[in-house]
Amino acid sequence: MFWALMKKLGGQSWAALVVIAISVLMTFLAKAQESRPGISCILEVSSREILPFEPLYVMVSLVNESNREQEVEIIPRAWVRLGIPGQDKIKWTKPFAGGLMEGPPPPPKRVRLTPNERLTLLRRIHADAPVPRRALIQKPGIVYVQGRVIGVNNKFESEPVKVEILEPQGVDAEAYEYLRTEGMNLPPSTLPRSLRQSWAHSGMKEREMPTPGLYEFFALENWYGWDYGEEPIKELLKFADRFAPSRYARHARLGAGLLRFYARSEVRDVGKAVRLFQEVAREGDDLAALAFYYLGQVAEQRGELAEAAQYYERALSLKIDPYFRHLAEKARARVESRLSASKR
């Protein structure tokens, strides 16, 4: 019956059916390859309890939980989405890449994972996410975070992780009130000079320029390499002095130190960055762990590898969050490898 049907359809139709059948088979095999069991997506957050405006970092990992090597083709970028509790289910935002200054996604990449091996992608969730007018981590409440890695033929999603945005207390409450009012729009002078010049050249008046909130300088971001002047550092330190000893004030000192260390302008001053990091490191808590990590970065950049290894070790000995633990462990291994190589 099948051959009779093919004969009736004719040669061209027969060839078309063969092409369609092969295409369907290849699609099926590709999907089976991509979605085969054993590859899990796991999300870890820097903390399950944060204050409003605090930096929230995530690690999205693909883990091969099978007993054989597997290959996947993915876009090597972590995506996240945020959700708020609804009456019956979580109301999710659209997936986004975490930051607000993202370039186009990188091209797909084939990744081989041996048994128990993991591929980890790091991401900071910006305090304005998903968009400034609907920011979800700027006020107390419950937020769910879900990680995603997009494959060529499929996607890998983590289980949602619940994060509680705490109600600030005491001096933290005073600092929070400042951040959500006066500190929400800093003067245009806190913008990078090249950005101000570019906008001015396009005809934008200074009063029309979108200005940053003070909280945007609390975390390591790609714009620390810009040509900032002294103004954002002055704003951060003024805030830190006014609201000491709040947790927000220590974030501000870390931010000022990061600007001193990473800025691509005359404000770069490694000595002042070290002093700011050392001030935060005295407390011995999770923010101190970050300060020791950054002190390790400074020492490593200076070529002081033994000292850098000690700083990374000190960071790991404290209550460091999973995100910076991952960075510190990689950094420690890197400098120890360089130290070993120098002794040969």
Side-chain angles (χ1 to χ4, degrees), residues 190-250:
T190 57
L191 290 165
R193 283 191 293 270
S194 58
L195 192 58
R196 295 204 310 271
Q197 291 168 2
S198 174
W199 284 343
H201 184 71
S202 67
M204 186 182 293
K205 294 182 173 58
E206 190 171 270
R207 66 176 180 274
E208 299 171 337
M209 295 180 183
T211 56
L214 188 70
Y215 60 89
E216 294 187 41
F217 296 99
F218 284 177
L220 178 63
E221 269 290 2
N222 54 6
W223 51 66
Y224 278 121
W226 287 52
D227 53 343
Y228 282 99
E230 290 283 346
E231 288 76 9
I233 295 175
K234 289 178 182 177
E235 292 286 344
L236 285 163
L237 296 181
K238 182 172 69 174
F239 172 86
D241 290 340
R242 178 176 174 181
F243 296 105
S246 73
R247 184 172 173 85
Y248 288 118
R250 299 177 67 226

Side-chain angles (χ1 to χ4, degrees), residues 274-335:
V274 167
R275 287 193 288 275
L276 287 164
F277 295 150
Q278 287 173 338
E279 287 180 32
V280 180
R282 295 191 188 114
E283 297 295 325
D285 61 359
D286 60 322
L287 293 184
L290 268 61
F292 278 117
Y293 169 75
Y294 291 130
L295 286 167
Q297 293 277 284
V298 173
E300 185 177 356
Q301 190 180 92
R302 286 172 163 175
E304 300 164 353
L305 301 183
E307 186 176 355
Q310 291 175 1
Y311 280 131
Y312 294 139
E313 189 64 42
R314 186 69 187 277
L316 290 166
S317 71
L318 298 174
K319 185 185 174 184
I320 192 168
D321 67 62
Y323 181 99
F324 279 93
R325 175 172 294 279
H326 175 81
L327 292 179
E329 286 175 345
K330 287 184 67 175
R332 180 182 61 181
R334 182 176 62 244
V335 297

Side-chain angles (χ1 to χ4, degrees), residues 20-310:
I20 292 171
I22 292 173
S23 176
V24 170
L25 178 62
M26 293 298 290
T27 301
F28 173 79
L29 290 174
K31 286 187 175 293
Q33 175 82 359
E34 192 69 28
S35 60
R36 60 176 176 251
I39 301 291
S40 298
C41 184
I42 297 174
L43 173 75
E44 294 180 85
V45 296
S46 54
S47 178
R48 298 199 179 208
E49 293 182 345
I50 63 172
L51 293 174
F53 292 114
E54 272 201 287
L56 181 62
Y57 299 93
V58 299
M59 294 196 309
V60 182
S61 301
L62 289 184
V63 185
N64 181 4
E65 297 182 336
S66 72
N67 58 4
R68 59 191 175 88
E69 183 180 275
Q70 299 209 52
E71 181 181 275
V72 290
E73 189 171 6
I74 60 167
I75 297 171
R77 173 179 285 181
W79 298 79
V80 293
R81 63 175 182 165
L82 302 179
I84 54 175
Q87 188 171 1
D88 301 316
K89 59 182 180 180
I90 299 172
K91 297 179 180 179
W92 292 103
T93 66
K94 291 182 179 179
F96 60 97
L100 297 183
M101 300 178 69
E102 295 290 341
K109 177 182 178 182
R110 287 191 176 275
V111 178
R112 288 182 179 273
L113 296 174
T114 58
N116 299 316
E117 185 180 4
R118 69 169 54 203
L119 169 70
T120 298
L121 302 168
L122 305 178
R123 178 59 59 193
R124 177 198 168 200
I125 299 179
H126 197 280
D128 286 341
V131 292
R133 66 179 180 275
R134 291 194 296 111
L136 296 182
I137 59 176
Q138 292 186 7
K139 57 186 178 181
I142 300 296
V143 172
Y144 288 89
V145 186
Q146 186 178 49
R148 176 181 292 185
V149 178
I150 299 175
V152 171
N153 297 299
N154 208 335
K155 63 178 181 287
F156 302 90
E157 286 185 337
S158 74
E159 291 294 321
V161 173
K162 178 181 174 181
V163 176
E164 184 175 0
I165 318 297
L166 302 173
E167 185 77 45
Q169 303 294 323
V171 68
D172 278 327
E174 297 173 22
Y176 170 58
E177 185 61 26
Y178 178 89
L179 289 172
R180 60 184 292 272
T181 53
E182 297 175 61
M184 188 60 78
N185 293 294
L186 298 180
S189 58
T190 57
L191 290 165
R193 283 191 293 270
S194 58
L195 192 58
R196 295 204 310 271
Q197 291 168 2
S198 174
W199 284 343
H201 184 71
S202 67
M204 186 182 293
K205 294 182 173 58
E206 190 171 270
R207 66 176 180 274
E208 299 171 337
M209 295 180 183
T211 56
L214 188 70
Y215 60 89
E216 294 187 41
F217 296 99
F218 284 177
L220 178 63
E221 269 290 2
N222 54 6
W223 51 66
Y224 278 121
W226 287 52
D227 53 343
Y228 282 99
E230 290 283 346
E231 288 76 9
I233 295 175
K234 289 178 182 177
E235 292 286 344
L236 285 163
L237 296 181
K238 182 172 69 174
F239 172 86
D241 290 340
R242 178 176 174 181
F243 296 105
S246 73
R247 184 172 173 85
Y248 288 118
R250 299 177 67 226
H251 275 298
R253 292 194 184 280
L254 274 178
L258 290 168
L259 277 169
R260 288 291 188 201
F261 182 43
Y262 287 105
R264 197 177 63 224
S265 63
E266 72 277 3
V267 305
R268 178 176 165 82
D269 188 319
V270 177
K272 289 182 178 179
V274 167
R275 287 193 288 275
L276 287 164
F277 295 150
Q278 287 173 338
E279 287 180 32
V280 180
R282 295 191 188 114
E283 297 295 325
D285 61 359
D286 60 322
L287 293 184
L290 268 61
F292 278 117
Y293 169 75
Y294 291 130
L295 286 167
Q297 293 277 284
V298 173
E300 185 177 356
Q301 190 180 92
R302 286 172 163 175
E304 300 164 353
L305 301 183
E307 186 176 355
Q310 291 175 1

